[in-house]
């Protein structure tokens, strides 16, 4: 075993990082080189554990020569428009390197040993600042692996809240769901992760009710009818709304009225704002207004690896009260916590924070706050505002172009072709064409497909900090790709 990292291997990695940041922004950014390269890389993977290791230097050289060609290199580039995928800011990338070097396990608050828990707490305060949310309004804060984990936290907190309201003597985190009142999630176009969260916390996927207006009612009217119906049956309710619906980028409207209904019927209001929360960062009052009311939620989900452009994985969760989280993820009031995980007493010179292991799913946790902290300090409010405005402007420019084409149909724009945020939803008018495949095989850009109103469609989501930095080249690459597949 080689105890030290060989200088040559270290330099190879540094050079790789430098090359990633200095790539010409006009380079093709298709996420795979080609299927042949992926097959070749896979065939080179050992089929079993080697008896004798290669050592660090040979392993890194072999990996870069044989395996790396099969990775999705374009996902960090300006023309990767699949899913909702940010890139990695240089400051965040370097912060991630430092995270690995120091290898902090951010679980127990030990202020006399490490700054890590305090830095995480301050970083989360800075995110609230960025979103123009009062720090005092959301005392429960934690970094997660992503929006799915954050939605699990939101539904777990909501589950306990609504059951406690119906049965004040009942503690579901202690006693389980057997004998507890039923709970339903009333959702507006729920993301798949909401259903997954409902399954994990014991509510059940079949108890996620997607509120369908049927074209006859507003969402608020349909929601109120569902709340009246469920409250009469003694069912606890979690209302889940979307800030940045995954296919369209649309926002659930009229949060003030929804908040009033939740207060009347004792429901928990969860806001899934994986990328939509960052509409509040825009310099445009109209765009910021899309996310009005986010501060009215009982809990908020968002992502760091989308519009914050942080490395995978990084999610955000906020709740009004820290006790919402501690009651679920903290120690049992009957048995107490493990003695070896006890927080040491502060000496008064540093603030006290709750150990992160009592605020989320994981006990052992990577120091995800450090890349986030580096990015926030490096970019500042003005830097992130510029990225968000540029990404939205790029998406809206694409939407308006599509709106004027006979070969395409824009599905989420207004009469002028303006899309709500940073997602462009469209389809080709030519029947029988696999548009997603054709676009991606062009090698110019990458998009993901979806279903909209029962038919195939394509999503183009813009959230990479590099997109549009080159002036017109990224835009022209999109137009060339769209024109080429229908010509």
């Amino acid at each position: 075993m080689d105890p030290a990292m060989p200088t040559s291997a270290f330099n190879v990695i540094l050079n790789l990082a430098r090359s990633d940041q200095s790539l010409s922004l006009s380079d093709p950014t298709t996420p795979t080189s080609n299927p042949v390269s992926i097959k070749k890389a896979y065939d080179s993977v050992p089929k079993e554990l080697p008896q004798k290791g290669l050592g660090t230097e040979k392993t890194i050289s072999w990996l870069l020569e044989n395996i790396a060609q099969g990775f999705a290199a374009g996902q960090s580039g300006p023309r990767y428009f699949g899913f909702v995928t940010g890139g990695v800011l240089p400051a965040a990338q370097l912060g991630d390197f430092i995270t690995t070097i120091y290898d902090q396990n951010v679980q127990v608050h030990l202020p006399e040993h490490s700054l890590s828990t305090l830095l995480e707490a301050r970083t989360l305060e800075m995110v609230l600042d960025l979103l123009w949310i009062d720090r005092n309004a959301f005392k429960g804060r934690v970094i997660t692996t992503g929006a799915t984990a954050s939605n699990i936290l939101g539904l777990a907190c909501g589950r306990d809240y609504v059951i406690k309201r119906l049965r004040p003597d009942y503690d579901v985190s202690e006693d389980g769901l057997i004998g507890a009142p039923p709970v339903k999630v009333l959702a507006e176009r729920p993301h798949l992760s909401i259903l997954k969260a409902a399954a994990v916390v014991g509510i059940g996927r079949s108890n996620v009710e997607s509120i369908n207006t049927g074209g006859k009612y507003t969402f608020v009217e349909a929601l109120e009818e569902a709340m009246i119906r469920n409250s009469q049956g003694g069912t606890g309710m979690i209302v889940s709304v979307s800030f940045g619906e995954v296919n369209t980028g649309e926002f659930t409207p009229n949060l003030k009225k929804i908040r009033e209904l939740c207060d009347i019927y004792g429901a928990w209001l969860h806001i899934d704002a994986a990328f939509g929360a960052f509409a509040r960062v825009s310099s445009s009052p109209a765009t910021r207004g899309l996310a009005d009311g986010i501060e009215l939620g009982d809990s908020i989900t968002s992502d760091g690896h989308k519009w914050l452009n942080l490395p995978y994985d990084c999610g955000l969760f906020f709740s009004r009260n820290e006790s919402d989280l501690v009651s679920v993820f903290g120690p049992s009031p009957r048995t107490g916590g493990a003695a070896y995980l006890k927080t040491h007493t502060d000496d008064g010179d540093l603030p006290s924070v709750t150990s992160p292991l009592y605020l989320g799913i994981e006990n052992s946790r990577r120091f995800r706050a450090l890349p986030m902290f580096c990015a926030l300090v490096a970019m500042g409010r003005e830097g992130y505002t510029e990225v968000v405005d540029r990404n939205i402007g790029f998406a809206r420019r694409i939407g308006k172009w599509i709106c004027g084409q006979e070969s395409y149909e824009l599905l989420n724009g207004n009469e002028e072709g303006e899309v709500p945020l940073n997602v462009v939803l469209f389809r080709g008018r030519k029947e029988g064409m696999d548009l997603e495949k054709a676009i991606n095989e062009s090698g110019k850009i990458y998009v993901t497909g979806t279903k909209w109103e029962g038919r195939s469609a394509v999503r183009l989501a813009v959230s990479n900090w590099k997109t549009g930095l080159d002036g017109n080249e990224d835009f022209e690459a999109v137009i060339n790709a769209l024109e080429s597949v229908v010509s």
Side-chain angles (χ1 to χ4, degrees):
M1 183 179 74
D2 40 1
M5 182 183 295
T7 302
S8 57
F10 183 72
N11 287 335
V12 166
I13 298 301
L14 287 180
N15 288 333
L16 180 65
R18 291 192 190 101
S19 68
D20 176 67
Q21 293 301 340
S22 62
L23 284 174
S24 168
L25 297 179
S26 62
D27 281 350
T29 55
T30 182
T32 58
S33 52
N34 56 67
V36 173
S37 294
I38 295 174
K39 178 65 165 58
K40 183 178 178 182
Y42 179 73
D43 288 343
S44 71
V45 176
K47 293 180 173 57
E48 57 186 28
L49 178 70
Q51 184 64 30
K52 184 177 181 180
L54 296 178
T56 301
E57 187 168 1
K58 288 183 179 179
T59 297
I60 296 302
S61 297
W62 172 80
L63 185 145
L64 292 176
E65 291 174 7
N66 297 282
I67 302 296
Q69 62 179 307
F71 293 153
Q75 286 189 220
S76 61
R79 299 177 194 168
Y80 184 93
F81 303 113
F83 308 101
V84 183
T85 303
V88 180
L89 288 159
Q93 184 182 65
L94 295 173
D96 203 47
F97 291 171
I98 298 169
T99 296
T100 298
I101 291 168
Y102 282 92
D103 197 27
Q104 305 288 285
N105 182 6
V106 191
Q107 59 165 192
V108 180
H109 178 54
L110 300 172
E112 70 277 31
H113 294 161
S114 174
L115 180 67
S116 58
T117 54
L118 291 170
L119 187 64
E120 177 168 314
R122 178 58 51 84
T123 301
L124 286 164
E125 290 176 343
M126 292 168 68
V127 173
L128 289 172
D129 294 345
L130 179 67
L131 298 177
W132 298 105
I133 296 175
D134 182 359
R135 294 181 179 185
N136 293 319
F138 290 87
K139 295 287 192 177
R141 311 160 189 156
V142 68
I143 296 174
T144 69
T145 56
T148 298
S150 295
N151 282 334
I152 290 172
L153 301 192
L155 265 57
C157 291
R159 175 202 64 189
D160 279 27
Y161 171 84
V162 299
I163 288 177
K164 179 69 72 174
R165 180 182 172 275
L166 293 170
R167 287 273 306 274
D169 61 327
Y170 199 91
D171 186 340
V172 68
S173 290
E174 285 295 299
D175 304 321
L177 286 169
I178 297 175
V183 176
K184 275 202 171 183
V185 179
L186 308 179
E188 198 265 339
R189 291 185 288 182
H191 188 270
L192 173 66
S193 61
I194 292 293
L195 281 82
K196 182 182 286 189
V200 170
V201 304
I203 293 172
R205 288 184 288 263
S206 64
N207 288 312
V208 177
E209 182 178 338
S210 185
I211 303 301
N212 187 354
T213 64
K216 299 179 181 179
Y217 310 99
T218 66
F219 172 74
V220 169
E221 291 170 337
L223 175 65
E224 184 169 19
E225 186 279 327
M227 296 180 88
I228 292 171
R229 172 169 34 86
N230 281 286
S231 64
Q232 291 172 345
T235 297
M237 292 169 284
I238 300 169
V239 175
S240 176
V241 299
S242 298
F243 269 35
E245 194 273 332
V246 69
N247 285 311
T248 63
E250 293 174 343
F251 290 68
T252 303
N254 207 346
L255 260 288
K256 184 176 180 181
K257 180 61 178 177
I258 293 171
R259 175 73 266 174
E260 291 173 359
L261 290 175
C262 288
D263 291 341
I264 291 170
Y265 294 101
W268 178 275
L269 177 56
H270 176 67
I271 300 178
D272 185 354
F275 62 95
F278 296 97
R280 293 175 69 95
V281 182
S282 173
S283 64
S284 163
T287 300
R288 289 199 304 274
L290 293 171
D292 277 352
I294 194 171
E295 70 282 355
L296 300 177
D298 294 303
S299 56
I300 302 169
T301 278
S302 195
D303 257 326
H305 51 234
K306 289 186 172 66
W307 236 337
L308 280 180
N309 279 261
L310 304 177
Y312 279 100
D313 48 25
C314 182
L316 298 157
F317 179 77
F318 301 98
S319 65
R320 290 202 167 275
N321 302 298
E322 190 177 80
S323 58
D324 299 330
L325 289 163
V326 175
S327 66
V328 180
F329 303 103
S332 167
R334 292 184 296 105
T335 61
Y340 80 101
L341 296 176
K342 182 179 179 181
T343 297
H344 290 193
T345 303
D346 297 344
D347 60 10
D349 292 334
L350 294 169
S352 178
V353 299
T354 300
S355 291
L357 85 158
Y358 295 142
L359 301 175
I361 297 168
E362 302 134 320
N363 277 16
S364 300
R365 304 165 71 249
R366 179 175 171 80
F367 194 11
R368 296 185 184 93
L370 190 56
M372 189 187 307
F373 175 81
C374 291
L376 289 166
V377 171
M379 296 287 283
R381 181 182 299 282
E382 290 181 358
Y384 270 115
T385 294
E386 191 279 328
V387 169
V388 168
D389 283 349
R390 175 159 40 85
N391 284 173
I392 294 172
F394 189 96
R396 288 177 175 170
R397 191 178 175 193
I398 297 296
K400 289 180 180 179
W401 182 89
I402 290 174
C403 189
Q405 304 302 306
E406 292 184 359
S407 300
Y408 288 104
E409 178 185 5
L410 182 67
L411 301 173
N412 69 326
N414 60 20
E415 292 181 357
E416 289 75 37
E418 182 170 288
V419 298
L421 199 63
N422 65 325
V423 179
V424 185
L425 181 69
F426 63 100
R427 65 168 59 105
R429 297 188 186 275
K430 183 178 180 180
E431 294 294 332
M433 181 181 186
D434 189 338
L435 185 59
E436 175 195 2
K437 181 179 180 182
I439 291 172
N440 291 339
E441 286 183 348
S442 76
K444 296 179 175 69
I445 64 173
Y446 184 82
V447 296
T448 44
T450 188
K451 289 284 187 181
W452 187 251
E453 296 179 344
R455 295 175 57 200
S456 296
V458 170
R459 300 168 59 260
L460 187 153
V462 188
S463 49
N464 192 297
W465 69 275
K466 297 178 183 178
T467 303
L469 273 177
D470 60 355
N472 268 335
E473 289 189 24
D474 291 333
F475 176 78
E476 290 171 356
V478 175
I479 302 309
N480 288 339
L482 297 183
E483 286 181 334
S484 69
V485 300
V486 295
S487 62

